[in-house]
Short mmCIF file of all heavy atoms in Angstrom, two decimals:
data_model
loop_
_atom_site.label_atom_id
_atom_site.label_comp_id
_atom_site.label_asym_id
_atom_site.label_seq_id
_atom_site.Cartn_x
_atom_site.Cartn_y
_atom_site.Cartn_z
N LYS A 1314 -34.43 -31.09 -3.74
CA LYS A 1314 -35.01 -31.74 -2.58
C LYS A 1314 -36.50 -31.92 -2.74
O LYS A 1314 -37.24 -31.02 -2.98
CB LYS A 1314 -34.61 -31.11 -1.33
CG LYS A 1314 -35.24 -31.73 -0.08
CD LYS A 1314 -34.78 -30.91 1.24
CE LYS A 1314 -35.25 -31.64 2.45
NZ LYS A 1314 -34.80 -30.80 3.65
N GLY A 1315 -36.97 -33.20 -2.47
CA GLY A 1315 -38.44 -33.51 -2.71
C GLY A 1315 -38.85 -33.70 -4.16
O GLY A 1315 -40.01 -34.05 -4.31
N LEU A 1335 -28.80 -37.65 -1.69
CA LEU A 1335 -29.42 -38.88 -1.20
C LEU A 1335 -30.81 -39.13 -1.89
O LEU A 1335 -31.48 -38.21 -2.15
CB LEU A 1335 -29.76 -38.74 0.35
CG LEU A 1335 -28.52 -38.78 1.30
CD1 LEU A 1335 -29.02 -38.47 2.62
CD2 LEU A 1335 -27.84 -40.21 1.25
N VAL A 1336 -31.17 -40.39 -2.14
CA VAL A 1336 -32.31 -40.80 -2.80
C VAL A 1336 -33.10 -41.86 -1.98
O VAL A 1336 -32.46 -42.77 -1.47
CB VAL A 1336 -31.98 -41.36 -4.20
CG1 VAL A 1336 -33.38 -41.92 -4.83
CG2 VAL A 1336 -31.43 -40.32 -5.08
N LYS A 1337 -34.31 -41.72 -1.74
CA LYS A 1337 -35.16 -42.65 -1.10
C LYS A 1337 -36.04 -43.43 -2.05
O LYS A 1337 -36.59 -42.89 -2.98
CB LYS A 1337 -36.07 -42.09 0.05
CG LYS A 1337 -37.13 -41.23 -0.61
CD LYS A 1337 -38.09 -40.82 0.68
CE LYS A 1337 -39.25 -39.99 0.21
NZ LYS A 1337 -40.11 -39.49 1.30
N ILE A 1338 -36.15 -44.76 -1.88
CA ILE A 1338 -36.98 -45.63 -2.65
C ILE A 1338 -38.15 -46.04 -1.88
O ILE A 1338 -37.86 -46.51 -0.63
CB ILE A 1338 -36.25 -46.95 -3.24
CG1 ILE A 1338 -34.96 -46.42 -3.87
CG2 ILE A 1338 -37.09 -47.72 -4.05
CD1 ILE A 1338 -35.01 -45.63 -5.14
N PHE A 1339 -39.38 -45.84 -2.31
CA PHE A 1339 -40.42 -46.13 -1.39
C PHE A 1339 -41.66 -46.41 -2.09
O PHE A 1339 -41.81 -46.35 -3.38
CB PHE A 1339 -40.77 -44.80 -0.57
CG PHE A 1339 -41.28 -43.65 -1.37
CD1 PHE A 1339 -42.61 -43.32 -1.48
CD2 PHE A 1339 -40.28 -42.85 -2.13
CE1 PHE A 1339 -43.07 -42.30 -2.29
CE2 PHE A 1339 -40.87 -41.81 -3.01
CZ PHE A 1339 -42.18 -41.59 -3.04
N GLU A 1347 -46.75 -44.21 3.62
CA GLU A 1347 -45.36 -44.29 2.92
C GLU A 1347 -44.51 -45.33 3.64
O GLU A 1347 -44.37 -45.25 4.88
CB GLU A 1347 -44.71 -42.99 2.73
CG GLU A 1347 -43.36 -43.09 2.13
CD GLU A 1347 -42.58 -41.77 2.01
OE1 GLU A 1347 -43.11 -40.86 1.13
OE2 GLU A 1347 -41.71 -41.62 2.72
N GLN A 1348 -43.99 -46.36 2.92
CA GLN A 1348 -43.01 -47.27 3.39
C GLN A 1348 -41.60 -47.00 2.63
O GLN A 1348 -41.67 -47.39 1.48
CB GLN A 1348 -43.49 -48.56 3.27
CG GLN A 1348 -42.41 -49.71 3.73
CD GLN A 1348 -41.96 -49.53 5.18
OE1 GLN A 1348 -42.87 -49.70 6.02
NE2 GLN A 1348 -40.73 -49.42 5.50
N ILE A 1349 -40.62 -46.60 3.24
CA ILE A 1349 -39.39 -46.39 2.71
C ILE A 1349 -38.58 -47.84 2.55
O ILE A 1349 -38.63 -48.47 3.60
CB ILE A 1349 -38.37 -45.45 3.40
CG1 ILE A 1349 -39.03 -43.99 3.44
CG2 ILE A 1349 -37.01 -45.35 2.85
CD1 ILE A 1349 -38.21 -43.01 4.17
N LEU A 1350 -38.25 -48.14 1.39
CA LEU A 1350 -37.52 -49.39 1.23
C LEU A 1350 -36.03 -49.41 1.38
O LEU A 1350 -35.34 -50.20 1.88
CB LEU A 1350 -38.02 -49.95 -0.20
CG LEU A 1350 -39.42 -50.15 -0.38
CD1 LEU A 1350 -39.58 -50.63 -1.81
CD2 LEU A 1350 -40.06 -51.10 0.53
N HIS A 1351 -35.50 -48.26 0.83
CA HIS A 1351 -33.96 -48.10 0.73
C HIS A 1351 -33.70 -46.64 0.80
O HIS A 1351 -34.45 -45.75 0.34
CB HIS A 1351 -33.33 -48.63 -0.53
CG HIS A 1351 -33.53 -50.12 -0.68
ND1 HIS A 1351 -32.88 -51.13 0.05
CD2 HIS A 1351 -34.47 -50.79 -1.57
CE1 HIS A 1351 -33.43 -52.37 -0.32
NE2 HIS A 1351 -34.24 -52.12 -1.25
N ILE A 1352 -32.52 -46.35 1.31
CA ILE A 1352 -31.91 -44.92 1.18
C ILE A 1352 -30.60 -45.18 0.44
O ILE A 1352 -29.67 -45.90 0.99
CB ILE A 1352 -31.67 -44.30 2.62
CG1 ILE A 1352 -33.03 -44.10 3.28
CG2 ILE A 1352 -31.00 -42.88 2.35
CD1 ILE A 1352 -34.01 -43.06 2.63
N GLU A 1375 -37.28 -40.66 -4.92
CA GLU A 1375 -37.32 -39.21 -4.67
C GLU A 1375 -36.09 -38.69 -4.01
O GLU A 1375 -35.49 -39.42 -3.22
CB GLU A 1375 -38.47 -38.95 -3.64
CG GLU A 1375 -38.74 -37.48 -3.31
CD GLU A 1375 -39.77 -37.29 -2.25
OE1 GLU A 1375 -40.80 -37.97 -2.36
OE2 GLU A 1375 -39.65 -36.37 -1.38
N ALA A 1376 -35.61 -37.53 -4.46
CA ALA A 1376 -34.42 -36.95 -3.96
C ALA A 1376 -34.84 -36.38 -2.55
O ALA A 1376 -35.74 -35.62 -2.41
CB ALA A 1376 -33.91 -35.83 -4.82
N ILE A 1377 -34.02 -36.68 -1.52
CA ILE A 1377 -34.31 -36.18 -0.19
C ILE A 1377 -33.25 -35.21 0.24
O ILE A 1377 -33.19 -34.58 1.36
CB ILE A 1377 -34.44 -37.33 0.92
CG1 ILE A 1377 -33.18 -38.17 1.00
CG2 ILE A 1377 -35.57 -38.20 0.54
CD1 ILE A 1377 -33.14 -39.11 2.02
N ASP A 1378 -32.43 -34.76 -0.81
CA ASP A 1378 -31.54 -33.72 -0.64
C ASP A 1378 -31.28 -33.22 -2.02
O ASP A 1378 -31.81 -33.78 -2.98
CB ASP A 1378 -30.23 -34.24 0.07
CG ASP A 1378 -29.39 -33.19 0.64
OD1 ASP A 1378 -29.74 -31.95 0.41
OD2 ASP A 1378 -28.39 -33.45 1.37
N GLN A 1418 -34.76 -57.07 5.48
CA GLN A 1418 -35.70 -56.03 5.76
C GLN A 1418 -37.07 -56.67 5.97
O GLN A 1418 -37.77 -56.23 6.87
CB GLN A 1418 -35.68 -54.93 4.83
CG GLN A 1418 -36.65 -53.76 5.05
CD GLN A 1418 -36.62 -52.74 3.92
OE1 GLN A 1418 -36.27 -53.08 2.84
NE2 GLN A 1418 -36.88 -51.54 4.21
N TYR A 1434 -30.73 -51.50 12.78
CA TYR A 1434 -30.28 -50.56 11.85
C TYR A 1434 -29.12 -49.79 12.43
O TYR A 1434 -28.32 -49.48 11.61
CB TYR A 1434 -31.55 -49.57 11.65
CG TYR A 1434 -31.22 -48.47 10.67
CD1 TYR A 1434 -31.13 -48.82 9.25
CD2 TYR A 1434 -31.07 -47.09 11.02
CE1 TYR A 1434 -30.90 -47.96 8.28
CE2 TYR A 1434 -30.77 -46.25 9.93
CZ TYR A 1434 -30.69 -46.54 8.61
OH TYR A 1434 -30.44 -45.70 7.63
N LEU A 1450 -26.88 -40.23 11.48
CA LEU A 1450 -28.02 -40.51 10.56
C LEU A 1450 -27.92 -39.44 9.40
O LEU A 1450 -27.71 -38.27 9.63
CB LEU A 1450 -29.28 -40.19 11.44
CG LEU A 1450 -29.63 -41.19 12.51
CD1 LEU A 1450 -30.98 -40.74 13.25
CD2 LEU A 1450 -29.69 -42.71 12.07
N LYS A 1451 -28.12 -39.99 8.35
CA LYS A 1451 -28.11 -39.12 7.02
C LYS A 1451 -29.58 -38.69 6.70
O LYS A 1451 -29.68 -38.04 5.70
CB LYS A 1451 -27.34 -39.85 5.94
CG LYS A 1451 -25.97 -40.15 6.19
CD LYS A 1451 -25.27 -40.81 4.97
CE LYS A 1451 -23.82 -41.16 5.24
NZ LYS A 1451 -23.15 -41.78 4.11
N ILE A 1452 -30.48 -39.29 7.29
CA ILE A 1452 -31.90 -38.97 7.06
C ILE A 1452 -32.58 -38.48 8.32
O ILE A 1452 -32.02 -38.62 9.45
CB ILE A 1452 -32.59 -40.18 6.50
CG1 ILE A 1452 -32.50 -41.39 7.55
CG2 ILE A 1452 -32.01 -40.68 5.11
CD1 ILE A 1452 -33.23 -42.67 7.12
N SER A 1453 -33.72 -37.84 8.10
CA SER A 1453 -34.56 -37.41 9.35
C SER A 1453 -35.04 -38.47 10.07
O SER A 1453 -35.16 -39.62 9.61
CB SER A 1453 -35.59 -36.39 8.80
OG SER A 1453 -36.59 -37.11 8.18
N LYS A 1454 -35.38 -38.20 11.32
CA LYS A 1454 -36.00 -39.25 12.20
C LYS A 1454 -37.37 -39.59 11.68
O LYS A 1454 -37.84 -40.76 11.85
CB LYS A 1454 -36.07 -38.75 13.67
CG LYS A 1454 -34.64 -38.73 14.35
CD LYS A 1454 -34.70 -38.33 15.69
CE LYS A 1454 -33.28 -38.18 16.29
NZ LYS A 1454 -33.23 -37.65 17.63
N GLY A 1455 -38.11 -38.67 10.98
CA GLY A 1455 -39.24 -39.07 10.31
C GLY A 1455 -39.08 -40.09 9.24
O GLY A 1455 -39.92 -41.09 9.09
N GLN A 1456 -38.15 -39.86 8.45
CA GLN A 1456 -37.74 -40.75 7.33
C GLN A 1456 -37.24 -42.19 7.93
O GLN A 1456 -37.53 -43.15 7.42
CB GLN A 1456 -36.70 -40.27 6.45
CG GLN A 1456 -37.22 -39.07 5.58
CD GLN A 1456 -36.11 -38.18 4.98
OE1 GLN A 1456 -35.01 -38.25 5.48
NE2 GLN A 1456 -36.50 -37.45 3.92
N LEU A 1457 -36.57 -42.03 9.02
CA LEU A 1457 -36.05 -43.35 9.62
C LEU A 1457 -37.26 -44.08 10.19
O LEU A 1457 -37.34 -45.35 10.02
CB LEU A 1457 -35.12 -43.02 10.80
CG LEU A 1457 -34.67 -44.09 11.71
CD1 LEU A 1457 -33.90 -45.14 10.86
CD2 LEU A 1457 -33.72 -43.63 12.86
N ALA A 1458 -38.23 -43.38 10.66
CA ALA A 1458 -39.48 -44.10 11.16
C ALA A 1458 -40.18 -44.80 10.10
O ALA A 1458 -40.65 -46.00 10.25
CB ALA A 1458 -40.40 -43.00 11.81
N SER A 1459 -40.28 -44.21 8.80
CA SER A 1459 -40.84 -44.76 7.72
C SER A 1459 -40.04 -46.07 7.24
O SER A 1459 -40.56 -47.04 6.90
CB SER A 1459 -40.96 -43.87 6.55
OG SER A 1459 -41.43 -44.47 5.47
N LEU A 1460 -38.71 -45.91 7.33
CA LEU A 1460 -37.87 -47.05 6.89
C LEU A 1460 -37.99 -48.15 7.86
O LEU A 1460 -37.91 -49.34 7.33
CB LEU A 1460 -36.38 -46.59 6.95
CG LEU A 1460 -35.27 -47.49 6.53
CD1 LEU A 1460 -35.43 -47.86 5.07
CD2 LEU A 1460 -33.88 -46.99 6.76
N LEU A 1461 -38.25 -47.92 9.16
CA LEU A 1461 -38.37 -49.04 10.20
C LEU A 1461 -39.91 -49.37 10.25
O LEU A 1461 -40.14 -50.36 11.04
CB LEU A 1461 -37.84 -48.53 11.48
CG LEU A 1461 -36.42 -48.18 11.53
CD1 LEU A 1461 -36.00 -47.75 12.94
CD2 LEU A 1461 -35.56 -49.36 11.21
N GLY A 1462 -40.81 -48.85 9.42
CA GLY A 1462 -42.15 -49.30 9.52
C GLY A 1462 -42.88 -48.88 10.78
O GLY A 1462 -43.67 -49.65 11.17
N THR A 1463 -42.70 -47.69 11.18
CA THR A 1463 -43.34 -47.20 12.34
C THR A 1463 -43.69 -45.72 12.13
O THR A 1463 -43.60 -45.17 11.12
CB THR A 1463 -42.46 -47.45 13.60
OG1 THR A 1463 -43.29 -46.97 14.71
CG2 THR A 1463 -41.26 -46.63 13.60
N ILE A 1464 -44.04 -45.07 13.29
CA ILE A 1464 -44.45 -43.63 13.20
C ILE A 1464 -43.38 -42.79 14.02
O ILE A 1464 -42.84 -43.42 14.98
CB ILE A 1464 -45.87 -43.39 13.66
CG1 ILE A 1464 -46.05 -43.84 15.08
CG2 ILE A 1464 -46.88 -44.01 12.64
CD1 ILE A 1464 -47.44 -43.49 15.69
N PRO A 1465 -43.27 -41.51 13.79
CA PRO A 1465 -42.19 -40.77 14.50
C PRO A 1465 -42.37 -40.73 15.97
O PRO A 1465 -41.47 -40.83 16.74
CB PRO A 1465 -42.37 -39.34 13.83
CG PRO A 1465 -42.89 -39.62 12.51
CD PRO A 1465 -43.83 -40.79 12.66
N LEU A 1468 -41.05 -44.03 17.40
CA LEU A 1468 -39.64 -44.01 17.38
C LEU A 1468 -38.98 -43.17 18.42
O LEU A 1468 -37.97 -43.52 18.99
CB LEU A 1468 -39.17 -43.45 15.92
CG LEU A 1468 -37.63 -43.56 15.71
CD1 LEU A 1468 -37.17 -44.99 15.70
CD2 LEU A 1468 -37.31 -42.88 14.30
N PHE A 1472 -36.34 -44.26 21.19
CA PHE A 1472 -34.96 -43.54 21.41
C PHE A 1472 -34.85 -43.09 22.89
O PHE A 1472 -33.73 -43.34 23.52
CB PHE A 1472 -35.02 -42.34 20.54
CG PHE A 1472 -34.18 -42.55 19.16
CD1 PHE A 1472 -34.90 -42.27 18.07
CD2 PHE A 1472 -32.98 -43.01 19.18
CE1 PHE A 1472 -34.28 -42.53 16.75
CE2 PHE A 1472 -32.38 -43.28 17.95
CZ PHE A 1472 -32.94 -43.01 16.78
N ARG A 1486 -28.44 -35.87 15.13
CA ARG A 1486 -28.41 -36.90 14.26
C ARG A 1486 -27.20 -37.80 14.51
O ARG A 1486 -26.85 -38.80 13.83
CB ARG A 1486 -28.23 -36.48 12.72
CG ARG A 1486 -29.56 -35.83 12.26
CD ARG A 1486 -29.51 -35.69 10.66
NE ARG A 1486 -30.81 -35.17 10.20
CZ ARG A 1486 -31.19 -35.11 8.95
NH1 ARG A 1486 -30.29 -35.61 8.06
NH2 ARG A 1486 -32.28 -34.50 8.57
#
Side-chain angles (χ1 to χ4, degrees):
K1314 182 178 181 180
L1335 289 173
V1336 173
K1337 70 175 179 180
I1338 308 298
F1339 67 99
E1347 178 182 287
Q1348 173 63 59
I1349 296 179
L1350 305 175
H1351 302 285
I1352 300 288
E1375 179 185 323
I1377 57 177
D1378 202 348
Q1418 184 178 24
Y1434 185 71
L1450 297 178
K1451 296 181 180 179
I1452 57 178
S1453 70
K1454 289 179 181 176
Q1456 292 163 341
L1457 176 58
S1459 176
L1460 183 64
L1461 297 178
T1463 187
I1464 59 177
L1468 183 63
F1472 266 123
R1486 292 195 180 188

